[in-house]
């Protein structure tokens, strides 16, 4: 299967097999020391891995996909594997890992081809979760520079990878999924020193989670209060779900190069109830919603907006003026670093029967982002599942072209905006 994935990318390939002349259409050599390669993927039973790695002298990097080492209660096999890598003079990725995904370099461990090359990186101790973040993230508009799965991290550690990515000119933001940091001080220092936005998801912070992590990568992470302190002191964002990991990376990708002004956040959109819940969501995320500036209220009244709170309630729907929210942003954007515009997608197909008014709203928001380059605009498409097929995809394309990240819940947007607040220009 993996040979097939690599064949699709067009990267030069050679298979290693003791007797076959080819495997799945790929020319084969009988042993690894006969392969002239710079990256080797080892997928043999755990007991055989050290023997194969010893053949890898001259190969700079060896990935061991096989499991059955420390995570399976056999640390002696893992120690033997590391010793074999040292003897061969190679760096070892894994064991128990899926490998590397890099659209620019033709590296992959997921099917369906590679997505567009971008500026977001991911380090993950779980190959399966990394594959999900790649596919779901790309579906939501993420473009990756590099994704590395570290597995048990017996040699190459997440901290070492983060230091490398922090100096990589093609990477502007990084996410980490960890179960076992291996060297806590090394990881803390790498997080603290990283001169780019970082979002951290840690698995196994509960009692049941720790048990699951121990059988997955051999990890045994500590009390979640420790991770909260690490994140606070190192200046990184700590999230609690895969969805928030993707959402924060999307925010960094969209707004990472934007030099912002001010420190306030405005939430604007329809429905009083949704606004109250939005206020709750942003409060939980630690984002303050300041009152509207008194000297701007007259300008709002001139637009026909009579409410004066933040969140600011304005009519958005098929019968409303598509550019009203953009006009509100024009009137208020000065002191606001972040403007979160939300829309009830259901309304466009309950009180209307066409997607064009929703597209017009999205285009108007895109125009507002272009007009206010020092303000970060975020869009929340509430109840997006109620739209006909393809509608929210088109809204997403309009927003992405303007550099606006899109979320489906206030909670997800609040977490992302809070993360941006920790990183100045994000």
């Amino acid at each position: 299967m993996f040979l097939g994935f690599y064949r699709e990318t067009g990267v030069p390939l050679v298979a290693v097999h003791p007797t076959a002349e080819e495997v799945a259409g790929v020319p084969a050599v009988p042993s690894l020391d006969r392969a002239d390669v710079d990256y080797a993927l080892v997928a043999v039973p755990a007991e055989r891995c050290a023997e194969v790695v010893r053949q890898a002298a001259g190969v700079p990097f060896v990935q061991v996909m096989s499991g059955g080492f420390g995570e399976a209660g056999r640390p002696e096999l893992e120690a033997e594997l590391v010793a074999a890598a040292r003897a061969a003079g190679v760096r070892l990725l894994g064991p128990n890992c899926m490998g590397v995904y890099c659209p620019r370099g033709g590296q992959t461990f997921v099917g369906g081809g590679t997505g567009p090359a971008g500026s977001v990186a991911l380090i993950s101790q779980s190959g399966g979760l990394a594959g999900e973040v790649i596919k779901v993230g790309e579906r939501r508009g993420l473009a990756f520079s590099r994704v590395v799965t570290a597995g048990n991290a017996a040699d190459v550690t997440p901290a070492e990878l983060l230091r490398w990515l922090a100096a990589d000119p093609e990477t502007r933001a990084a996410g980490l999924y960890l179960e076992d940091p291996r060297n806590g001080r090394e990881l803390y220092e790498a997080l603290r020193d990283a001169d780019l936005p970082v979002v951290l998801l840690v698995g196994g912070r509960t009692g049941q989670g720790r048990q699951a992590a121990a059988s997955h990568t051999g990890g045994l992470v500590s009390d979640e209060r420790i991770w909260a302190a690490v994140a606070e002191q190192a200046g990184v964002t700590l999230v609690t779900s895969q969805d928030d990991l993707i959402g924060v990376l999307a925010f960094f990708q969209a707004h990472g190069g934007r030099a912002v002004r001010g420190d306030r956040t405005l939430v604007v959109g329809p429905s009083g109830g949704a606004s109250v819940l939005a206020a709750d969501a942003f409060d939980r995320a630690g984002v303050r919603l300041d009152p509207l500036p008194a000297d701007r209220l007259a300008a709002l009244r001139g637009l026909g907006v009579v409410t004066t709170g933040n969140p600011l309630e304005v009519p958005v729907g098929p019968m409303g003026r598509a550019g009203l929210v953009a006009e509100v942003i024009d009137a208020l954007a000065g002191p606001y670093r972040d403007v979160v515009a939300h829309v009830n997608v259901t309304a466009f197909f309950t009180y209307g029967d066409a997607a064009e008014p929703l597209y017009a709203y999205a285009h108007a928001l895109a125009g507002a982002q272009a007009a206010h380059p020092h303000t970060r605009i975020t869009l929340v498409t509430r109840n997006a599942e109620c739209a006909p097929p393809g509608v929210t995809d088109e809204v997403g394309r309009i927003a992405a072209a303007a550099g606006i990240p899109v979320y489906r819940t206030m909670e997800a947007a609040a977490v992302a905006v809070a993360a941006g607040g920790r990183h100045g220009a994000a």
Side-chain angles (χ1 to χ4, degrees):
M1 184 174 65
F2 274 65
L3 286 173
F5 293 165
Y6 279 116
R7 275 208 318 267
E8 281 190 48
T9 72
V11 69
L13 277 179
V14 60
V16 179
H17 190 281
T19 58
E21 294 185 359
E22 67 172 44
V23 178
V26 176
V29 295
S31 62
L32 187 54
D33 54 12
R34 300 274 294 276
D36 182 18
V37 297
D38 56 13
Y39 187 92
L41 188 160
V42 176
V44 298
E47 296 80 5
R48 296 282 312 283
C49 285
E51 171 191 344
V52 172
V53 170
R54 289 189 192 97
Q55 302 171 9
V59 179
F61 304 99
V62 176
Q63 168 205 341
V64 174
M65 179 185 293
S66 314
F69 294 89
E71 83 286 358
R74 299 197 287 180
E76 70 285 353
L77 280 184
E78 197 162 305
E80 182 186 5
L81 183 64
V82 173
R86 298 278 189 274
V90 305
R91 295 308 308 272
L92 174 71
L93 190 63
N96 187 30
C97 77
M98 299 283 274
V100 173
Y101 178 82
C102 178
R104 287 184 181 88
Q107 282 274 68
T108 187
F109 57 87
V110 293
T114 56
S119 60
V120 172
L122 176 71
I123 301 164
S124 175
Q125 286 194 267
S126 168
L129 184 136
E132 293 178 27
V133 171
I134 290 168
K135 287 304 184 183
V136 175
E138 288 180 343
R139 180 72 176 77
R140 297 183 188 176
L142 283 183
F144 291 94
S145 58
R146 312 163 195 290
V147 176
V148 187
T149 65
N152 294 8
D155 177 27
V156 176
T157 64
E160 184 177 8
L161 290 166
L162 179 60
R163 287 193 181 279
W164 191 92
L165 288 169
D168 174 27
E170 294 171 347
T171 297
R172 295 181 181 175
L176 286 85
Y177 171 73
L178 301 177
E179 294 178 3
D180 178 6
R182 287 287 162 165
N183 184 324
R185 172 57 60 177
E186 179 192 27
L187 176 66
Y188 168 73
E189 291 174 351
L191 290 168
R192 181 197 61 196
D193 297 342
D195 189 23
L196 79 173
V198 176
V199 54
L200 175 63
L201 174 62
V202 179
R205 286 188 282 168
T206 67
Q208 292 184 124
R210 280 192 287 273
Q211 293 177 18
S215 62
H216 183 209
T217 58
L220 194 62
V221 298
S222 318
D223 189 305
E224 60 182 329
R225 292 172 296 180
I226 294 176
W227 289 102
V230 166
E232 180 69 24
Q233 293 177 26
V236 304
T237 298
L238 182 66
V239 296
T240 59
S241 71
Q242 175 182 305
D243 190 65
D244 283 341
L245 174 66
I246 294 170
V248 172
L249 288 175
F251 190 92
F252 290 154
Q253 176 180 271
H255 291 312
R258 200 177 298 285
V260 294
R261 296 172 182 167
D263 61 356
R264 298 184 183 182
T265 299
L266 170 69
V267 177
V268 56
S271 174
S275 295
V276 172
L277 294 176
D280 286 339
F282 279 85
D283 193 28
R284 284 192 295 269
V287 177
R288 187 180 70 253
L289 301 180
D290 292 310
L292 301 183
D295 61 349
R296 308 292 176 94
L297 299 183
L300 287 180
R301 286 193 293 270
L303 296 173
V305 177
V306 296
T307 56
T308 58
N310 184 10
L312 178 62
E313 185 180 350
V314 300
V316 178
M319 307 301 290
R321 193 163 74 250
L324 178 57
V325 169
E327 293 167 5
V328 167
I329 293 172
D330 288 341
L332 293 175
Y336 290 103
R337 177 180 60 195
D338 288 285
V339 174
V340 180
H342 65 98
V343 58
N344 177 17
V345 174
T346 308
F348 287 85
F349 304 98
T350 301
Y351 306 111
D353 56 7
E356 281 67 29
L358 181 56
Y359 298 157
Y361 167 82
H363 280 296
L365 208 60
Q369 182 64 88
H372 299 279
H374 302 298
T375 297
R376 302 183 299 206
I377 297 178
T378 296
L379 174 60
V380 180
T381 52
R382 296 184 292 109
N383 308 312
E385 64 272 20
C386 294
V391 169
T392 52
D393 288 342
E394 179 60 22
V395 171
R397 281 189 286 270
I398 295 168
I404 297 174
V406 180
Y407 301 89
R408 294 199 172 193
T409 68
M410 287 292 191
E411 289 76 9
V415 169
V417 169
R422 295 185 181 93
H423 295 280

